[in-house]
Amino acid sequence: MVSLAIRAAQRQTRGSIDPILALTKADMARVNDLILAMAGSNVTLIPEIAEHLISSGGKRLRPMLTIASALAHGYDGADHVKLAASVEFMHTATLLHDDVVDESDMRRGKSTARTIWGNQASVLVGDFLLGQAFKTMVEVGSLDALAILSAASAVIAEGEVWQLAAAKQMTTSEADYLAVIDAKTAALFSAATEVGPVLADKGEEERAAMRDYGRSLGLAFQLVDDVLDYRGSLADLGKNTGDDFREGKITLPVILAYAKGDVAEKAFWQSAMESGENDDAALARAKDLLQRHGALEATIERARGFGEEAFRAASTLPPSPAREAMLGVVDFCVDRLN
Amino acid sequence: MVSLAIRAAQRQTRGSIDPILALTKADMARVNDLILAMAGSNVTLIPEIAEHLISSGGKRLRPMLTIASALAHGYDGADHVKLAASVEFMHTATLLHDDVVDESDMRRGKSTARTIWGNQASVLVGDFLLGQAFKTMVEVGSLDALAILSAASAVIAEGEVWQLAAAKQMTTSEADYLAVIDAKTAALFSAATEVGPVLADKGEEERAAMRDYGRSLGLAFQLVDDVLDYRGSLADLGKNTGDDFREGKITLPVILAYAKGDVAEKAFWQSAMESGENDDAALARAKDLLQRHGALEATIERARGFGEEAFRAASTLPPSPAREAMLGVVDFCVDRLN
């Protein structure tokens, strides 16, 4: 257990994505090459859409975590590159389908694939990327890694269906919401990091630590995203501020503000989230209510709590640059708010 | 090589799905139980949609073929049930996404999931079923079977994208079209049957024979489907006659009739398939042109050719009830026209 005073000091020096960028630079170049090869097809629509996604400026955090986790466990083979590329394709396939489901027009400041090529192509190219992901991870030949990643695939989709079914219900509780993001976001972070010790032939203890690290980091990451959707600017967020609000997507800040709201405020949230009365004036009022009830701060506090959990889990790793890089990512994820 | 005279006699007695139904009855009951378990989720929308698909009266031909192929190679374990259920889930996921892409309202005489639960749920539940399929096939622990099925998954999606990109282009050639259905239909039949000898630890020769059998059967099956779309009634087809026409889906009968058409007929096909002038009067004219140019008969001839190929491939199997059942399916697929 790391004391909070030490943690606060560490946060100053460690809250950076630079160490993991440096650590994974050479391997990520291989991941990028493999991603381009996996997106290759005579059906030109596939590389076109894949190229759009690849160039859209995602941080590639998940594959970097797979690389870092493998290195942190002393893995010196080449298969972490394949698993990292597969993890990124699973993520990309999910984004393609999410944008169709959410009818999103912008992501990371660029038009979504569905607005350029249509929903049909987005659904089918997503399926192709998922198929390529499975094919590539099968090539690695680790049944344990396959079990982790295929289970994550089912859990992610289940979480998405759950969110769809629960969407626009202001009765969604904090526990409900955490269960949704545990499935739709944290499961892939958790799988991405758990395959590291699996590749390095480590046991259940090491796997459990990486599962915890990835899961807690994923939860913190999603909660910070939820806050950024109300607080960030397009430049630092890369998507439209207020998107969640306009899509009637109920996130933790809204759940917390609703719980503290009076009768009139509850009625406002219901008409905004359930009945789609979500114009710019409504968004301004929503931001005001979130501020008044400290809902963004409270969400950040929960994100910090998950960040602490991720930090503790990665602290069990033997000292190495990979460990430092994984610790740095935790504070980067939480601190990108500031 | 079986002489055509013998084949004609055999077709009389063997052109039936009854032997494979009898052969796989006990195992298919297990497949059905497993399918229900795999569709289970606390997210009630998932079992609801899965139940709709399960009860919609598909023949479950693909999982029956996996069971039969395993039995034909002397397999006496239990894992063929898991692979068969996975194959059916891969197929079901494809149907869910296809109906979204094609905007289909009816399938097998019932409303499609997307008309009841919406496109969003259809996309996400399809993803869930695919995830469950991978998870279940990983449990079997055969890397060879995983390689076959994951490769098929990518190929199927690639074929679907190809069809989407080529849709409504009357320049589509017969070779183009065969390549599309090779990917989107035949690849899964081929994978479904190739995993049989893999489970039974047979070598490349046996695997190649089952690949050929499944692929040729899948091609024959799809071509017969294409004919039925213009010739069948709703009762024996289970989907709306003329669906392909109304969706501007260019199939082999249309390609053959177009090739033989004069200038006026070519203009008709272009306005029907490319510009969407496909009302009932246009469908009647299309049927008339298909008839006049013998395009349905020519398509059936090609289906019979692929059927012969499938028959020859399965004829290499040692004599057994499973072999007879697999031979019977070939003629059933071709003869369901009559």
Side-chain angles (χ1 to χ4, degrees):
Chain A
M1 193 77 78
V2 182
S3 87
L4 289 183
I6 297 175
R7 278 290 286 114
Q10 284 168 332
R11 189 175 287 151
Q12 298 307 312
T13 54
R14 280 178 167 158
S16 166
I17 201 168
D18 294 339
I20 200 169
L21 286 171
L23 176 83
T24 64
K25 192 171 180 208
D27 283 331
M28 284 302 292
R30 290 181 198 104
V31 170
N32 290 342
D33 288 346
L34 180 57
I35 281 176
L36 287 173
M38 286 164 71
S41 169
N42 293 327
V43 186
T44 50
L45 192 54
I46 291 175
E48 260 174 52
I49 294 181
E51 171 62 32
H52 176 78
L53 295 165
I54 290 165
S55 66
S56 71
K59 285 178 297 295
R60 305 241 171 130
L61 190 54
R62 294 160 190 80
M64 280 198 291
L65 288 168
T66 296
I67 298 291
S69 173
L71 297 178
H73 290 87
Y75 180 68
D76 60 0
D79 284 338
H80 58 331
V81 169
K82 286 188 174 178
L83 293 187
S86 301
V87 162
E88 183 66 4
F89 263 33
M90 285 174 68
H91 175 57
T92 309
T94 305
L95 293 186
L96 274 169
H97 287 184
D98 272 4
D99 286 342
V100 170
V101 169
D102 297 340
E103 300 175 357
S104 303
D105 296 330
M106 296 280 281
R107 181 178 288 278
R108 297 188 195 121
K110 286 184 73 170
S111 296
T112 55
R114 74 173 205 99
T115 63
I116 304 173
W117 292 279
N119 284 337
Q120 300 170 318
S122 293
V123 169
L124 297 177
V125 172
D127 290 348
F128 174 75
L129 297 183
L130 199 57
Q132 289 291 81
F134 278 109
K135 197 175 137 186
T136 303
M137 65 182 84
V138 168
E139 286 170 14
V140 171
S142 160
L143 285 167
D144 283 344
L146 283 165
I148 291 163
L149 291 163
S150 63
S153 166
V155 166
I156 293 164
E158 195 174 24
E160 302 271 359
V161 181
W162 195 352
Q163 184 170 53
L164 179 68
K168 309 194 181 193
Q169 299 290 323
M170 275 311 313
T171 50
T172 307
S173 70
E174 178 172 353
D176 288 341
Y177 181 67
L178 288 178
V180 168
I181 67 172
D182 206 358
K184 84 178 186 85
T185 307
L188 188 56
F189 275 85
S190 177
T193 48
E194 190 185 354
V195 296
V198 166
L199 282 177
D201 281 328
K202 301 292 177 187
E204 172 54 23
E205 197 179 332
E206 287 86 349
R207 285 176 56 171
M210 287 297 101
R211 257 199 315 273
D212 285 357
Y213 169 83
R215 180 182 173 232
S216 303
L217 181 64
L219 290 170
F221 182 86
Q222 183 62 59
L223 292 177
V224 169
D225 244 23
D226 294 347
V227 170
L228 284 171
D229 200 76
Y230 286 98
R231 225 176 69 174
S233 66
L234 186 59
D236 61 35
L237 175 61
K239 62 176 181 174
N240 299 324
T241 311
D243 271 354
D244 290 345
F245 183 76
R246 275 183 291 265
E247 289 168 8
K249 204 175 264 181
I250 294 164
T251 56
L252 189 56
V254 172
I255 292 167
L256 297 176
Y258 179 79
K260 289 199 171 173
D262 59 22
V263 173
E265 289 172 20
K266 282 191 161 66
F268 162 75
W269 287 114
Q270 277 161 354
S271 69
M273 307 309 280
E274 298 180 358
S275 311
E277 290 170 30
N278 50 22
D279 59 11
D280 286 352
L283 177 58
R285 181 163 183 207
K287 285 182 177 178
D288 179 58
L289 293 177
L290 293 173
Q291 178 70 27
R292 192 178 318 163
H293 292 298
L296 297 180
E297 276 312 309
T299 301
I300 293 167
E301 264 323 290
R302 279 159 180 83
R304 284 204 200 287
F306 288 119
E308 296 288 335
E309 221 168 298
F311 194 93
R312 277 194 295 272
S315 297
T316 63
L317 288 166
S320 77
R323 181 184 111 132
E324 295 309 296
M326 293 181 79
L327 292 173
V329 167
V330 177
D331 290 329
F332 168 77
C333 281
V334 177
D335 293 342
R336 67 201 164 111
L337 282 159
N338 302 323
Chain B
M1 194 78 81
V2 183
S3 87
L4 288 183
I6 296 176
R7 277 290 286 114
Q10 285 169 330
R11 189 173 288 151
Q12 296 308 310
T13 54
R14 281 181 167 157
S16 166
I17 201 169
D18 294 339
I20 199 168
L21 286 171
L23 177 82
T24 63
K25 192 171 179 209
D27 283 332
M28 283 302 292
R30 289 180 198 107
V31 170
N32 290 342
D33 288 345
L34 179 56
I35 280 175
L36 287 173
M38 287 163 70
S41 168
N42 292 328
V43 186
T44 50
L45 191 57
I46 291 175
E48 260 175 54
I49 294 181
E51 171 63 30
H52 175 80
L53 296 164
I54 290 164
S55 66
S56 71
K59 287 179 296 297
R60 305 242 171 130
L61 191 53
R62 294 161 191 80
M64 280 199 289
L65 288 167
T66 296
I67 298 290
S69 173
L71 296 177
H73 291 87
Y75 179 69
D76 60 2
D79 284 338
H80 59 332
V81 169
K82 285 188 174 178
L83 293 187
S86 301
V87 163
E88 183 66 4
F89 263 34
M90 285 174 68
H91 175 56
T92 308
T94 305
L95 294 186
L96 273 170
H97 288 184
D98 273 3
D99 286 340
V100 170
V101 169
D102 296 341
E103 300 174 358
S104 303
D105 297 329
M106 296 279 282
R107 180 178 290 276
R108 299 187 194 122
K110 285 183 75 170
S111 296
T112 54
R114 75 175 204 96
T115 64
I116 304 174
W117 292 279
N119 284 337
Q120 300 170 316
S122 294
V123 169
L124 296 178
V125 172
D127 290 347
F128 174 75
L129 297 182
L130 199 58
Q132 289 292 80
F134 278 109
K135 197 175 137 186
T136 303
M137 66 182 83
V138 168
E139 286 170 14
V140 171
S142 160
L143 286 167
D144 282 344
L146 282 165
I148 292 163
L149 291 163
S150 62
S153 166
V155 166
I156 293 164
E158 194 173 25
E160 302 272 359
V161 182
W162 195 350
Q163 184 171 52
L164 179 69
K168 310 192 181 195
Q169 299 289 324
M170 276 312 311
T171 50
T172 307
S173 71
E174 179 172 351
D176 288 340
Y177 181 68
L178 288 177
V180 168
I181 65 172
D182 207 356
K184 84 180 185 86
T185 307
L188 187 56
F189 275 85
S190 178
T193 47
E194 190 184 353
V195 295
V198 167
L199 282 177
D201 281 327
K202 301 291 177 188
E204 172 54 25
E205 197 178 330
E206 287 87 349
R207 286 177 55 170
M210 287 298 100
R211 257 199 314 270
D212 286 356
Y213 169 84
R215 178 180 174 234
S216 303
L217 181 65
L219 290 170
F221 183 88
Q222 182 62 58
L223 292 177
V224 169
D225 244 24
D226 294 347
V227 170
L228 284 171
D229 200 77
Y230 286 98
R231 226 177 69 174
S233 66
L234 185 57
D236 61 36
L237 174 58
K239 61 177 181 172
N240 301 324
T241 311
D243 271 354
D244 290 345
F245 183 75
R246 275 183 291 264
E247 289 168 8
K249 203 176 266 182
I250 294 163
T251 57
L252 190 56
V254 172
I255 292 167
L256 297 176
Y258 179 81
K260 289 198 171 174
D262 59 22
V263 172
E265 290 171 20
K266 281 192 163 65
F268 162 75
W269 286 115
Q270 276 159 354
S271 69
M273 308 309 281
E274 298 178 359
S275 312
E277 290 171 29
N278 50 21
D279 60 9
D280 286 353
L283 177 58
R285 183 164 181 207
K287 285 182 178 179
D288 180 59
L289 292 177
L290 293 172
Q291 178 69 28
R292 191 179 316 163
H293 292 298
L296 297 180
E297 276 313 309
T299 301
I300 293 166
E301 264 323 291
R302 280 158 179 85
R304 284 202 199 288
F306 288 119
E308 296 287 335
E309 221 168 297
F311 194 93
R312 277 196 294 273
S315 297
T316 62
L317 288 166
S320 76
R323 182 185 111 131
E324 295 310 297
M326 292 182 79
L327 293 172
V329 167
V330 176
D331 290 330
F332 167 78
C333 281
V334 177
D335 293 342
R336 67 200 165 112
L337 282 159
N338 301 322

